[in-house]
Every structure is written in C-alpha cells, then in structure tokens.
Amino acid sequence: MPLTDGPGHPNQQFEPAPDPTAGFLAQFGASDESSEAFSPTPRGYQPGRTKYVVVIGTVMSGLGKGIFSSSLAKLLKDKGLSVAPIKMEGYLNIDSGTLNPYRHGEVFVLEDGLETDMDLGTYERVLNQDLGRRNFVTAGQIYTEILERERRGGYLGRDVQMIPHVTGAVKMRLRELAMTGNAGKPCDVVFVEVGGTAGDYENGFYIEALRELAFEEGPENCCFVALTYILEPSILGEQKSKAAQLGIKRLMEAGVQPHLIACRAKNPVTEKVMQKISMFSNVPVKRMFSMHDRASIYTIPDAMRDAGLDREILSMLNLHPRVNAVQEDRERAKWNAFTSQLAAARTHKVKIGVLGKYASLRDAYASIDKAIEHCAVALGAEIEVEWLDTSDVETLARAKELVTRFDGVIVPGGFGMRGVEGKIRCVQAARLERIPFLGICLGFQVAVIEFARNVLGWADAHSTEFDPATKHPVISELPDQKKIEGIMGGTMRLGGQDVVIEKGTLAQSLFGGADHVRERFRHRYEVDPAQIPALVAGGLVFSGRHPKHPIMQVLELPVQAHPYFIGAQFHPELTSRPLTPQPMFMGLVAAAIARREPGFAQTELGRRWVRSANSAATVTA
Ligand code: GLN
C-alpha cells in the first residue's frame, strides 16, 4: 500500500519506506494485546512517514545533548522539514514544577502551562518553535499512566511488565508525537533526547524502548547518535579516547549501534582520536563530529553543516526528497546574519545587575541570561552581567550604593521570603536613583510593595505570601479569581495568557503599538484588586491587564518620572528568541545604554527603544 503525504506537507515527492507492511508491526499483529510482541501504535500510524533521531549521552551527563539535538533539528528545519523534539527524563517527578532550581536549573514554562526543565528552553530558542506537553516525558508520567490503567483493569488479566508494557507506553508517546508534531499534523523528524547517560538505571527502559522502536520502524527510519566526551588531562597534554570508547560500548551492550558520534571536547578532536573511536564503534570517521568548546552555541548548526552531518543524516534516513533548498538558503542567511552580529565588535558597553536569590548558580536564571544575550546582539552592546544575592542589603544607603554600580537592574522571579526585604530596598533605590529597572514576576510584586510602602506611605504593605497578617495586602492570593479563570488542580497560574496593553503607555511603545500580547505566567499571588485604585491614584500605571478579570500584568512609572521602570507579572524571558528579542528586555538594555550615552536615544536604534523623558516628575519619593 503506498503511503501518501499528510495534508499540507510541502514536499509532495515523499518516498515511503520500501514495504512498510512487511515490517515487524504488521507481521506480528503487534497491536494485539495477547501477542507477545504487543506494541501499541496510534490509529492511522504509518511507519516510515516520520523518522526518528535519537541522542543518547555516554561518559557523563551535562555535555549538551539538548544543544546538539536542537542544532541538528534546526539544520533540518531550515531545509523545510518539520521537526518535533522530545526530552525523556528518567526521574519520577511528573514535571519539573517541584524541582529546586539550585539543583536542576530553572523551571521553564511552556505555552500550554507544562513546567519543564531548561533544555526545552534551548529547543524553543534554537528552533524558534513553541513546544508543549507532548515534547516532554518523565518516568513518573509513564509509570502513572501504566498504574492507573492497571487499576482500571486495562491489561485484561495480564501481568504488567517493563517489557512490553512500559516500553510500549514509551513507543506510543513517540509515535503520537510523530503524528501530531507539526502543529497537529505528522512531522518529518522526531528528535529524541534521553536524559542521563547510557548505563544509568533510571533511563534503561527508554533505551530499550528506542531499540525496539528502531527495529519495528525498519531500516532508514531511525538514527542513533552517541554524544561522548574526550578527556584531555593537562598532565598528558593530549586527548584520550578510552572513556569515550567505554561509554559507547555501554550503549552497544544495550543493543544500540550508534550511526553517528558527537565528541564533546575542550579543543577540536584530532583525526587520530576519531579514527580510534571509529574502529571501536563501527562508525566511519565521516559520521563523527567534533563538538569542541566554542564562543557561542549558535554557531554549532553551521559547523555541523560544514562537517557534512546534515547530508549524512538525510542519506541515512532517506530524506533528500523532502528538502526545500530555497527555504534553506533563506533561513541560513537570516541565521548567519545573527551569528556574524554575535561575533562583531560591540560599540556600547553596559553593566546589568540581576538581584535574585540564586546568585551563585546561573542555570537558575538561564532564560534571563539568554534574553540579555539576544538584546546584546540586537543592540550591539557588550553587557557585563552581575548576579547578586540581596539577602544582606539591610539599608537604603547600601541598596543605593549597590544599584548605582549598574546601568540597569533586573529583579527576577522567585519564591520564599529570603532576600525579599533587600529586593524591596533595591527597587526603591532604582526608582529614586533613576536606574533602569525591570521587575519579573516576584520582581513585579516587589515593585508594587515598594510603591505602596514608600510612595503611598503604607509602611506595612506586603504580600500575603510573606506577611499574611498585613493591613495592606497589596499582593495576595485570590483563589476565587483562579476558579473563574478555570485553573485546574494546582494553585499556580501557569502558561500562556493574553495581556491587554493600555494605549499610550511605555509598554505599548515597547510592544510596537500592539493592543495585546501573549506571555507566559507562573505565579500564585497577584495585585489585590481592592488596592488597585489607591495604587493608581498614587501614580503607578498598570499598562497590561487580563482581558476580563482585574489581574494586573504589567506596571510602569510614567516616563516623565523615571527613564525606564517597568515590571511584568509574567516571565518575559521565556519568550525571547535569538532573532526576536523580548521587547521589555530590549527596552531595559536600550535605557541602560542611554544612561551611559545620552546621544543614544537620538540614534535610529535608540529611538525605537527609548522614550525620552520630557516633563517634570509626577512621582516623587
Ligand atoms: N512567589 C510569587 C508568586 O507565587 C512569584 C512567583 C514567581 O516569581 N515566579 O506569585
């Protein structure tokens, strides 16, 4: 039976696998639950329609599987292929919502509200593509699904086993993504990233499921990539391949023969080392890639292309007929313009302070780091970022001393009391000293508290998160409001929401005149509606609101009062992408430049991002 292209697929000459009906799935009646080879597939699934690229780490974790996988996915996406990444985590948590950012890096919130780990952020940024629940799976999700089905009697008296049931559930998730990964339609390639390393207990069932998947899908449909690490002990002064060999062997013991090997290393991997690994792993040198340290990860897609990795993948997976060369040229030109700007000399120099809680661990604010980098490239600025813990900022004088060292400050999101009073003082200092300020989520709430205390004179104003008994609960939890909004289960407001932007405000000029934008939220507390009239009467401007309910989403001070003072109840860092930096970050960096170079506001770039302050201040301390 010939396969047909899914509706809307741009490349009509799609070649099916030689004879999919002769494949394993059909031969053994594999969706029959009484069969030993039980392997469920979604209705209408066509083997060979979607290809799979699987990236598995060896030697150690944290080598950048996500960066490798997203760069390769980008190369194929630029060629007109539709791609869908999925990260498979071995831990038993259902999502990353309860993970400590100190241990696991930031919690990245997707448009559909799923709390995932920071790697999903890498995929979204590199691919410039929104992801959702289908792109993230944990062992906890898989086991929950199996156990719930078992309780419902869903296994018809069979003993429920790791194989075929758990592995079957994993394959099902991958095939469902294959069928829907292109905005609800079948996609060309699913990129699977397995968390951890080959040989870990907790990801063993994923590797087994992928081995089975490759067999069932048949030849030319799955490609395995081993990401490994080349040691270069300074005492020897040369690269050693033994750890890599052993790591790859571990993968082969699990029944997986890699087709491609990516070698992480400090320096470019030598031919000699590649040959050695090649001999022990059955992978030709032309299918090896030196992923050595680089100034920027954004140059990796082009480096892969130069090494011929894209052609190798296309040949292995028989994807050449689906390539759109015109689109590739266009996308490459855009990306290369970005990477050459990245490498170009920067004319402006600024210093930004991020006043948070996890100052010692930048992964806890990975997306903020990236959002600043996107602006630095767009505005040609060299930005020195300093991360500070505010816990010991005990006086306004100290706060002033601290914030005036910077050309702009960010107070990021957070939970818990530690450092909050210090943040309030820093925001007050930034307001009084006219230092450009961006408050994010908790940083937005802190700005409201600061305004209530020091402008309205409500000395005990606070958030009920930190002082439930305060007489001035300017930030509070409003469960009833959440009920109206239809927030299910958990008590956090999560994911993408529309924000209506007030006319004639700084926010509106930043967002290019838009009357509404969509941004991502992760919070439990918000501005108490009962306090809004007093805050507004005192001079605080709420320039972004919920379309229906009295939920305040953006605040600002009039530009006459402060050159750049803005806050968002949402997380603007989550939607910043290399080629489309988030406007509130752009405004901050532009205002920071203008602070050092008054002429900047008059330049074309500056005019777009900085509004000039022109009349007397309306808000005073
Ligand atoms: N703790 C605050 C809340 O729950 C802010 C959360 C955040 O900054 N992400 O509303």
Side-chain angles (χ1 to χ4, degrees):
M1 183 185 70
L3 291 177
T4 51
D5 244 338
H9 192 275
N11 307 308
Q12 293 303 317
Q13 66 278 56
F14 158 58
E15 281 285 321
D19 181 9
T21 51
F24 175 91
L25 289 173
Q27 257 185 57
F28 295 94
S31 34
D32 167 5
E33 305 220 8
S34 63
S35 154
E36 283 309 310
F38 168 65
S39 184
T41 49
R43 194 187 295 275
Y45 183 78
Q46 298 171 326
R49 172 68 189 79
T50 297
K51 312 287 183 167
Y52 298 85
V53 174
V54 180
V55 182
I56 301 174
T58 68
V59 181
M60 61 174 150
S61 64
L63 291 178
K65 285 188 296 276
I67 291 169
F68 177 88
S69 180
S70 54
S71 300
L72 193 57
K74 174 176 172 50
L75 263 189
L76 297 194
K77 183 175 179 173
D78 286 353
K79 292 175 193 290
L81 299 165
S82 53
V83 297
I86 180 166
K87 171 107 197 251
M88 310 198 109
E89 292 281 14
Y91 53 71
L92 291 170
N93 308 59
I94 301 292
D95 57 37
S96 311
T98 54
L99 296 177
N100 179 347
Y102 232 144
R103 294 178 64 103
H104 197 79
E106 80 176 352
V107 176
F108 192 86
V109 183
L110 303 180
E111 166 65 29
D112 66 8
L114 188 76
E115 298 171 283
T116 69
D117 78 4
M118 49 190 279
D119 278 339
L120 276 276
T122 306
Y123 285 108
E124 286 206 342
R125 285 186 286 265
V126 174
L127 293 174
N128 190 23
Q129 183 170 319
D130 277 357
L131 303 178
R133 283 169 198 279
R134 287 188 186 282
N135 306 94
F136 184 71
V137 61
T138 66
Q141 290 174 23
I142 298 283
Y143 292 145
T144 304
E145 179 189 318
I146 301 265
L147 295 176
E148 282 176 354
R149 185 170 170 201
E150 189 275 334
R151 288 293 82 188
R152 290 196 308 269
Y155 291 97
L156 307 170
R158 270 193 72 155
D159 40 352
V160 185
Q161 295 179 291
M162 289 301 284
I163 302 169
H165 299 106
V166 173
T167 51
V170 173
K171 290 182 278 181
M172 188 70 169
R173 284 289 295 259
L174 293 171
R175 288 174 172 137
E176 278 168 355
L177 179 61
M179 288 187 73
T180 55
N182 179 18
K185 296 193 301 260
C187 61
D188 289 307
V189 190
V190 165
F191 279 82
V192 187
E193 177 191 343
V194 182
T197 27
D200 292 352
Y201 261 117
E202 57 176 24
N203 64 16
F205 73 96
Y206 285 132
I207 297 179
E208 168 59 17
L210 288 157
R211 185 196 65 73
E212 294 171 16
L213 180 89
F215 176 54
E216 294 169 13
E217 294 289 315
E220 296 190 341
N221 291 333
C222 289
C223 166
F224 285 97
V225 183
L227 181 70
T228 192
Y229 186 63
I230 309 299
L231 296 167
E232 194 170 343
S234 53
I235 196 164
L236 299 178
E238 63 168 332
Q239 294 181 330
K240 304 296 278 180
S241 67
K242 181 63 94 192
Q245 288 174 39
L246 293 174
I248 294 164
K249 209 171 233 173
R250 212 54 207 261
L251 187 59
M252 292 164 84
E253 280 165 11
V256 171
Q257 166 65 56
H259 302 94
L260 226 130
I261 294 177
C263 302
R264 278 290 288 123
K266 189 163 182 292
N267 296 304
V269 179
T270 62
E271 190 72 14
K272 192 177 128 203
V273 165
M274 293 231 193
Q275 282 168 0
K276 218 164 183 178
I277 294 175
S278 170
M279 190 169 75
F280 285 102
S281 64
N282 314 319
V283 177
V285 170
K286 67 172 181 179
R287 290 188 182 167
M288 287 196 180
F289 177 63
S290 169
M291 198 171 146
H292 47 270
D293 292 353
R294 287 171 167 81
S296 164
I297 63 158
Y298 297 126
T299 57
I300 294 177
D302 231 36
M304 285 176 164
R305 196 174 183 277
D306 290 343
L309 232 57
D310 53 343
R311 285 193 305 279
E312 290 299 323
I313 292 267
L314 293 176
S315 303
M316 278 187 279
L317 297 177
N318 189 20
L319 282 170
H320 285 292
R322 302 194 206 182
V323 168
N324 178 340
V326 180
Q327 179 166 339
E328 181 177 18
D329 288 346
R330 200 176 50 224
E331 295 302 324
R332 265 195 88 210
K334 267 196 266 173
W335 191 253
N336 288 348
F338 169 74
T339 51
S340 36
Q341 246 173 304
L342 195 73
R346 310 279 170 92
T347 33
H348 313 289
K349 286 201 176 15
V350 291
K351 215 170 153 186
I352 303 276
V354 184
L355 315 174
K357 184 161 91 168
Y358 301 111
S360 56
L361 198 75
R362 291 184 64 164
D363 273 2
Y365 304 111
S367 294
I368 292 185
D369 215 12
K370 295 291 169 199
I372 294 174
E373 186 189 18
H374 303 157
C375 300
V377 176
L379 292 169
E382 189 181 311
I383 305 181
E384 191 188 325
V385 184
E386 203 178 309
W387 304 75
L388 289 173
D389 187 340
T390 50
S391 309
D392 62 352
V393 180
E394 274 160 10
T395 60
L396 178 61
R398 170 83 190 106
K400 283 188 177 178
E401 193 185 304
L402 203 135
V403 302
T404 49
R405 282 175 20 210
F406 301 109
D407 305 301
V409 291
I410 295 174
V411 176
F415 296 81
M417 184 59 190
R418 188 166 70 79
V420 168
E421 290 298 328
K423 282 178 194 164
I424 295 172
R425 279 178 207 111
C426 288
V427 174
Q428 185 183 8
R431 182 172 58 79
L432 298 175
E433 298 293 324
R434 298 170 63 85
I435 306 287
F437 164 79
L438 170 62
I440 298 174
C441 206
L442 180 62
F444 162 99
Q445 297 174 356
V446 160
V448 174
I449 297 167
E450 191 279 316
F451 190 88
R453 284 189 187 177
N454 302 317
V455 179
L456 302 186
W458 298 346
D460 75 331
H462 223 316
S463 161
T464 55
E465 180 178 3
F466 310 120
D467 179 6
T470 174
K471 287 204 185 60
H472 293 101
V474 284
I475 306 292
S476 62
E477 195 181 13
L478 296 166
D480 288 348
Q481 192 143 286
K482 308 256 165 53
K483 238 178 263 159
I484 305 170
E485 251 203 324
I487 290 167
M488 311 282 287
T491 55
M492 282 237 255
R493 190 165 173 252
L494 290 166
Q497 300 270 349
D498 284 337
V499 179
V500 175
I501 302 293
E502 209 66 42
K503 282 199 179 57
T505 58
L506 170 62
Q508 200 190 33
S509 77
L510 290 172
F511 286 110
D515 54 11
H516 80 281
V517 294
R518 198 162 171 87
E519 292 285 347
R520 294 186 198 168
F521 293 78
R522 181 176 188 246
H523 67 119
R524 188 170 287 125
Y525 296 82
E526 60 197 40
V527 181
D528 191 317
Q531 318 288 340
I532 295 169
L535 292 163
V536 170
L540 193 61
V541 176
F542 287 110
S543 48
R545 296 165 186 244
H546 186 284
K548 286 202 222 96
H549 308 301
I551 306 178
M552 300 301 106
Q553 331 233 56
V554 182
L555 66 74
E556 61 188 68
L557 288 179
V559 286
Q560 299 87 338
H562 194 288
Y564 193 83
F565 190 100
I566 198 161
Q569 183 60 83
F570 49 82
H571 287 269
E573 72 275 22
L574 300 179
T575 50
S576 188
R577 305 263 166 95
L579 303 183
T580 49
Q582 207 280 348
M584 294 172 84
F585 278 89
M586 282 293 271
L588 178 80
V589 175
I593 297 173
R595 189 177 145 77
R596 278 212 193 178
E597 304 167 30
F600 179 73
Q602 269 67 54
T603 65
E604 203 201 314
L605 205 53
R607 259 201 310 274
R608 262 187 71 203
W609 294 105
V610 188
R611 300 213 337 186
S612 54
N614 45 24
S615 56
T618 52
V619 179
T620 46

